[in-house]
Amino acid sequence: MGVLAGRLTGKTALVTGGSRGIGRGIAERLGRDGARVAVHYGSNETAAKETVTAIEEAGGSAFAIRAELGVPGDAAQLWAEFDRQAQGLDILVNNAGIGVSEPFATLQEEEYERVFAVNAKAPFFVTQLGAQRLRDGGRIINVSSGLSHASVMPHLVAYAMTKGALDVFTRDLSKVLGPRGITVNAVAPGIVDTDINADWLRAGDEAWANAASMSALGRVGAPSDIADVVAFLASEDGRWVTGQWIDATGGSLA
């Protein structure tokens, strides 16, 4: 247990897409800090259960909830699952997201609509219903991307557009919920070593070196790098930060 363990004791958190990658890192960190964590997953129940077990083995409390995002009724299903196991919410982390497989010239309408449904529409309505459960003084943290602020991978334009929408949502929602003492911020990762990026990051030493060179710190990010920033914003220490886009790219945009 770290020196900050317990600072979220008595709090309940929900992390969408919390079973893998950055989401798992965030869920585990919030659990170590004392929060009871709802680990949301869309399809990989095994990964969700593994994350719950990891949190519990570290001395924390967690439970898994399933809801497919990007389909009609997704937010209502998610909160129905949550309500069966918890009452009230203090921290909402909108982390779940998907990428695109095609560049601008060949991207089809179906894939475009799907990435917007998961990355932009779902967080909006998950948060809309979640705000009814969120206690005054709560926290909302949206996981954005460095690509919403810099054209370093222009072939991912549709994905970047979804994160740009999430950034505007973050900014404006901070004013909507500010009177309740609720902070709303976005955290933007750069290249992070997760299974989603594994194929190209581990294609060879050159691929890894090229990815690492994008950061001013000369390495590829880890889920814990992002989770620690989220943990700060979720804590009392982050009480005076709201409506902000936090660059957590390791200086990739410097």
Side-chain angles (χ1 to χ4, degrees):
M1 303 288 280
V3 296
L4 298 177
R7 68 178 180 175
L8 296 179
T9 298
K11 306 291 187 182
T12 299
L14 166 62
V15 182
T16 67
S19 66
R20 300 162 59 197
I22 291 173
R24 176 169 178 167
I26 293 170
E28 291 187 3
R29 173 58 199 268
L30 297 181
R32 288 199 303 274
D33 283 359
R36 184 178 184 224
V37 184
V39 178
H40 160 264
Y41 70 99
S43 58
N44 194 333
E45 182 179 10
T46 298
K49 288 182 175 179
E50 289 174 351
T51 302
V52 168
T53 298
I55 292 170
E56 293 176 339
E57 289 181 345
S61 175
F63 59 94
I65 59 174
R66 181 189 180 280
E68 182 183 356
L69 299 183
V71 298
D74 51 3
Q77 180 187 347
L78 183 150
W79 289 113
E81 293 284 331
F82 177 88
D83 291 343
R84 278 194 275 270
Q85 302 189 63
Q87 291 185 340
L89 182 73
D90 301 283
I91 302 159
L92 171 60
V93 182
N94 287 307
N95 164 78
I98 59 174
V100 293
S101 60
E102 296 293 330
F104 167 73
T106 56
L107 184 68
Q108 298 299 303
E109 192 170 341
E110 181 179 0
E111 186 173 5
Y112 177 94
E113 291 179 347
R114 173 66 178 162
V115 72
F116 267 88
V118 175
N119 293 5
K121 182 179 178 180
F124 184 100
F125 289 102
V126 165
T127 304
Q128 184 188 68
L129 295 184
Q132 302 170 16
R133 296 160 172 82
L134 197 64
R135 298 181 181 94
D136 290 356
R139 304 284 188 265
I140 298 173
I141 299 122
N142 299 318
V143 177
S144 179
S145 169
L147 297 183
S148 70
H149 276 50
S151 183
V152 292
M153 295 181 179
H155 60 289
L156 299 178
V157 57
Y159 171 81
M161 288 168 65
T162 68
K163 295 302 185 177
L166 194 63
D167 295 345
V168 173
F169 179 53
T170 299
R171 181 194 67 201
D172 289 4
L173 190 64
S174 70
K175 297 294 183 72
V176 173
L177 297 180
R180 294 178 52 195
I182 296 169
T183 66
V184 187
N185 292 287
V187 174
I191 299 174
V192 179
D193 183 16
T194 64
D195 55 355
I196 293 176
N197 293 325
D199 287 347
W200 70 274
L201 275 179
R202 302 188 182 280
D205 292 343
E206 184 177 355
W208 185 274
N210 287 339
S213 70
M214 295 182 67
S215 165
L217 301 174
R219 67 174 177 85
V220 172
S224 60
D225 294 322
I226 313 306
D228 290 349
V229 178
V230 171
F232 161 73
L233 293 171
S235 75
E236 179 64 14
D237 292 343
R239 64 191 176 277
W240 200 238
V241 181
T242 193
Q244 299 305 301
W245 185 86
I246 311 297
D247 184 335
T249 68
S252 296
L253 307 184

